[in-house]
Amino acid sequence: MIIGTLTGLLQELQQQIHRNFLAEDALQLILGGFQNTLVIFFFGAIWALVLAMFLTYLHVNHKWQWLYRPLHWFVATIHDVPAVVLMMFFYYVVFASVEAVNGICVSIIALGVYSSGTLTKIFTIHIEQVGTEQREAGKMLGFTPRQIYQYIVLPQAVKSMLPLIIGEMKVLLRATSYAGYIAQKDLVKAVDAIRAQTYDAFVPLLIVSLFYLALSWM
């Protein structure tokens, strides 16, 4: 009796997996959503890193403080807003009248701005942690300010900040799941559409969880 029950459960699970994942329509939805999630994450991460490095450069170069202060205040203030609210604000308010900008572009821009606030703090804190005595030693050796940053400051700062950057990238990856709120067919939106069609919740949610776990581990 127990064997028969287990066999029945396994057959039901197999049917659910086929219906929610292996069926042609379901597989196309998942692959399309997965592709959009990767695009949003990849370009959002690049945009966040570029913006954070730009703000950090303005902070380090004291000649540009007049530009750094308003930009840093803007980014730091936005970071206190939930990512999903920020994406909806960009989509429905900032770029509402711009037809050439689609939801994927808006997601990339919004998430990049959102993550750049934390990345800027990480960059500036770890660069400033490098002792002034090492900078002075570089000057005594005849290094230019650029060479001091290139050969002394940045190698030490990058080594210590790398785990925190990876952690922020994981936060950005999880935030891509909010793209469905602005009508984008990301991975979560695709799985939710499958759940609405098949009325199965376990397998679709398990699939999206495994996809995000795999991306986080990678």
Side-chain angles (χ1 to χ4, degrees):
M1 182 177 180
I2 296 177
I3 296 177
T5 303
L6 291 175
T7 303
L9 290 175
L10 289 176
Q11 291 178 350
E12 177 64 23
L13 180 60
Q14 183 179 3
Q15 292 175 1
Q16 288 185 9
I17 292 175
H18 183 273
R19 187 166 56 247
N20 293 282
F21 182 63
L22 298 178
E24 184 176 356
D25 294 341
L27 188 59
Q28 289 179 354
L29 282 173
I30 291 175
L31 292 179
F34 183 66
Q35 180 181 356
N36 289 338
T37 295
L38 285 180
V39 169
I40 294 171
F41 168 69
F42 181 75
F43 289 102
I46 292 177
W47 167 232
L49 289 168
V50 169
L51 182 57
M53 286 189 289
F54 175 68
L55 290 172
T56 304
Y57 172 77
L58 294 180
H59 175 75
V60 172
N61 193 335
H62 298 288
K63 297 179 181 179
W64 298 93
Q65 289 297 308
W66 60 272
L67 180 60
Y68 166 76
R69 292 185 183 279
L71 285 176
H72 181 263
W73 178 86
F74 174 74
V75 172
T77 301
I78 279 184
H79 190 266
D80 292 332
V81 178
V84 60
V85 177
L86 183 63
M87 292 175 69
M88 295 174 70
F89 182 81
F90 270 69
Y91 186 73
Y92 293 112
V93 179
V94 178
F95 295 104
S97 59
V98 182
E99 296 182 358
V101 179
N102 59 24
I104 293 179
C105 293
V106 172
S107 300
I108 292 170
I109 295 171
L111 291 180
V113 173
Y114 178 78
S115 294
S116 65
T118 300
L119 290 174
T120 302
K121 294 178 183 177
I122 293 173
F123 292 167
T124 54
I125 289 173
H126 285 79
I127 287 176
E128 291 174 349
Q129 281 180 347
V130 179
T132 55
E133 63 276 3
Q134 299 185 51
R135 303 169 191 260
E136 294 298 328
K139 291 181 180 179
M140 294 178 62
L141 292 173
F143 287 1
T144 64
R146 181 177 180 178
Q147 290 175 328
I148 290 173
Y149 272 98
Q150 183 177 355
Y151 297 113
I152 298 176
V153 176
L154 290 182
Q156 299 181 60
V158 169
K159 184 178 180 180
S160 60
M161 73 173 68
L162 192 57
L164 296 176
I165 295 175
I166 294 174
E168 184 59 27
M169 291 299 101
K170 288 186 177 183
V171 173
L172 176 61
L173 174 62
R174 291 192 293 269
T176 59
S177 62
Y178 300 135
Y181 284 92
I182 55 175
Q184 290 309 298
K185 294 181 179 180
D186 67 321
L187 184 58
V188 176
K189 191 73 173 180
V191 170
D192 189 56
I194 294 172
R195 181 198 57 78
Q197 293 175 3
T198 62
Y199 298 100
D200 293 331
F202 174 71
V203 172
L205 294 176
L206 178 62
I207 290 171
V208 72
S209 299
L210 292 177
F211 268 104
Y212 273 101
L213 281 174
L215 289 174
S216 295
W217 290 337
M218 289 171 60

